[in-house]
Amino acid sequence: MLHTRMRWLIAAVAILATLATTLLAGSAVRSALADSSRPQEYLALGNSVAFGYNPLLVPNNAGNPDNFIGYPTPVAAALKETLTNASCPGETSSHFISLTGTDNGCGAYRANFPLHVAYSGTQLAFADTFLQSNPKTLLISIDIGSNDLFVLERVCGGQNNCILAGLPGMLATLSANLDTIYGHIRNLDGYRHKLVALTYYSLNYSDLAGTSVISQVNQVVAVRTLAWGGIVADGFGTFATASAAFGGDTCAAGLRIVVMSSPLTCDIHPSPAGRDLLAQAIVNALRTD
């Protein structure tokens, strides 16, 4: 029991320290990005991680999107930006571009519950309209790609051989889709300011196979983001460090939403502590860029 308490104490101290770092980093980033003569607009794009999805709030509390707080909210607070969060739970890179593209639940969620902002077309079309209407937007963040992997896992019925065989094709599609998304943002919309992509965390870093697969998704995201003049926020490394005292188990480290206490079981989505660490990763990436 004492050992367990000590592990939780270590995690709590680490999380408090990183939140303090976030506040200090926010001051540095504000001075780098801020221009008092123009509006401070921040557009957040992505899936359930950006949305702040929490399975404990669905369906009874899903009618109010303000109940869901994703990492863009603390980022916006740290930078004193006006946030527009267009993310959608279950969004894949293909569905981001076309409503007929392979989906992992974004369409179903939108049919039943409101998003943080309302739009009838694709997330990409919303981003185009927003950026063209708000040319002084200073920051865009995006997380995309994990649902592409989840679709592959579902199609394969969780069979490892099938997943590994389908992974190269999935990664190629993700890469091409990112080029389409970034091409719109940079070329069609003429956006020239900060573009940050957040990498995904492993559920358990001691699971070498699972961690390797998510690392390959992150590699594609990083390469394409850098190619389009963006920067990469290390969500993967941030969670790895915060869960190290727990053998890499992000559930035991308190970084994911607990759905059952005994035995301890977590959803895949970040807890408030995990969410704030992801926000810190974005602020840190902006500070060092």
Side-chain angles (χ1 to χ4, degrees):
M1 178 65 70
L2 179 60
H3 180 63
T4 299
R5 289 177 177 172
M6 286 298 296
R7 282 155 61 97
W8 278 106
L9 179 60
I10 291 169
V13 171
I15 289 170
L16 288 173
T18 52
L19 291 180
T21 302
T22 299
L23 294 176
L24 294 173
S27 177
V29 176
R30 283 196 297 273
S31 60
L33 294 182
D35 181 342
S36 60
S37 67
R38 67 188 191 184
Q40 303 290 293
E41 297 285 352
Y42 165 26
L43 175 63
L45 304 171
N47 55 35
S48 57
V49 180
F51 183 81
Y53 181 84
N54 183 337
L56 302 179
L57 300 178
V58 178
N60 293 337
N61 296 296
N64 182 2
D66 290 341
N67 290 329
F68 301 92
I69 303 173
Y71 65 81
T73 297
V75 170
L79 304 183
K80 295 186 177 179
E81 300 279 339
T82 299
L83 172 64
T84 298
N85 188 341
S87 60
C88 181
E91 188 77 289
T92 65
S93 65
S94 294
H95 191 260
F96 190 105
I97 296 168
S98 171
L99 294 181
T100 63
T102 302
D103 187 17
N104 195 42
C106 172
Y109 192 92
R110 287 175 58 176
N112 290 281
F113 308 111
L115 301 181
H116 290 295
V117 294
Y119 52 91
S120 59
T122 65
Q123 193 170 162
L124 181 57
F126 176 85
D128 289 336
T129 299
F130 181 89
L131 292 172
Q132 292 168 24
S133 301
N134 298 274
K136 294 180 180 179
T137 300
L138 296 183
L139 174 63
I140 297 173
S141 68
I142 186 170
D143 66 280
I144 201 77
S146 63
N147 283 294
D148 297 53
L149 176 59
F150 295 153
V151 168
L152 175 61
E153 291 177 343
R154 185 178 71 239
V155 169
C156 287
Q159 297 298 310
N160 289 336
N161 289 341
C162 175
I163 294 170
L164 292 176
L167 188 61
M170 186 223 83
L171 295 175
T173 297
L174 174 60
S175 179
N177 287 342
L178 285 169
D179 282 337
T180 296
I181 294 167
Y182 291 153
H184 273 242
I185 290 171
R186 291 302 198 197
N187 297 333
L188 179 64
D189 305 328
Y191 179 79
R192 295 291 179 266
H193 297 292
K194 299 290 185 178
L195 172 61
V196 187
L198 177 70
T199 59
Y200 290 101
Y201 47 88
S202 174
L203 301 183
N204 193 327
Y205 290 84
S206 66
D207 174 8
L208 299 183
T211 300
S212 173
V213 170
I214 200 64
S215 294
Q216 292 180 64
V217 173
N218 287 336
Q219 178 67 13
V220 170
V221 171
V223 168
R224 299 324 306 151
T225 301
L226 294 172
W228 285 94
I231 57 180
V232 179
D234 190 12
F236 179 90
T238 298
F239 267 45
T241 298
S243 64
F246 298 84
D249 185 346
T250 57
C251 177
L255 302 179
R256 291 189 282 124
I257 296 169
V258 174
V259 294
M260 183 184 300
S261 58
S262 182
L264 181 63
T265 306
C266 290
D267 183 66
I268 64 173
H269 295 93
S271 64
R275 171 199 67 208
D276 290 345
L277 287 182
L278 295 177
Q280 176 210 338
I282 290 180
V283 173
N284 284 351
L286 291 167
R287 181 185 60 182
T288 58
D289 179 57

